[in-house]
Amino acid sequence: MSDLRIQQPDDDVTLRDWQYVHNAIIPTHLLSLEEVRERAQRHHLEVAYLGGVLVGCSTVRPPLDDTLTATVIARVLAPHRGQGFGEDLYARGLKRARELGAEVIETVVLSSNEDGLRFAYKHGFAEIERYLLPGETIPWIDLRLS
């Protein structure tokens, strides 16, 4: 049993930790603390620690309108990958998405994140769209759980 602790960020320290993981894994789309605060109002965010060490974060974008589609994103800092932390974050995110009424689960991965793509494919996701955001040069990949 590990000392992994996963919690919703509820103060500036934990919101900054979530921001740090996001920005480390997605350097093409850096978020400010204010943007993270705004996301915390719309999405279910969590941050993960092993003991006192930050290891990852997650996002669940709830279903909107009648789509019944939620987006589940698990991020683990490179030094902590391959130890099951992504599994824990993903399982919690998937459970939360289902609690929010999702029937379809999607994720999004920056195409340069080979570990993230490998994780998504391993968990049954298939690519549905590849695109560039305005001003960016590295494509994003939307994937759907099959």
Side-chain angles (χ1 to χ4, degrees):
M1 168 129 181
S2 75
D3 292 327
L4 188 66
R5 177 175 49 89
I6 301 173
Q7 69 175 70
Q8 283 188 267
D10 57 4
D11 59 22
D12 279 355
V13 171
T14 52
L15 286 167
R16 277 192 186 97
D17 285 347
W18 188 96
Q19 175 193 26
Y20 175 82
V21 175
H22 175 279
N23 290 349
I25 294 173
I26 307 172
T28 61
H29 194 76
L30 301 177
L31 296 177
S32 69
L33 184 58
E34 193 54 42
E35 290 170 313
V36 173
R37 282 189 190 107
E38 189 272 328
R39 282 185 184 212
Q41 299 302 311
R42 292 184 289 125
H43 306 316
H44 180 82
L45 307 182
E46 291 189 328
V47 65
Y49 303 91
L50 181 62
V53 177
L54 177 64
V55 298
C57 73
S58 66
T59 301
V60 176
R61 297 178 191 158
L64 298 175
D65 305 322
D66 295 330
T67 66
L68 300 180
T69 301
T71 301
V72 176
I73 305 166
R75 301 176 198 88
V76 176
L77 294 169
H80 304 287
R81 292 181 184 158
Q83 301 175 54
F85 305 134
E87 297 286 342
D88 290 345
L89 284 165
Y90 170 68
R92 286 174 61 96
L94 187 59
K95 180 179 183 225
R96 180 71 175 148
R98 300 277 190 226
E99 290 169 353
L100 294 170
E103 293 181 10
V104 177
I105 304 297
E106 293 182 349
T107 194
V108 58
V109 181
L110 194 60
S111 64
S112 60
N113 182 353
E114 294 175 11
D115 289 341
L117 285 172
R118 199 169 19 260
F119 184 91
Y121 292 136
K122 175 183 163 193
H123 288 84
F125 285 86
E127 182 175 335
I128 56 172
E129 184 178 7
R130 192 175 285 243
Y131 55 92
L132 281 172
L133 291 176
E136 294 189 8
T137 58
I138 299 172
W140 292 86
I141 301 173
D142 285 347
L143 302 108
R144 182 170 293 147
L145 190 58
S146 7

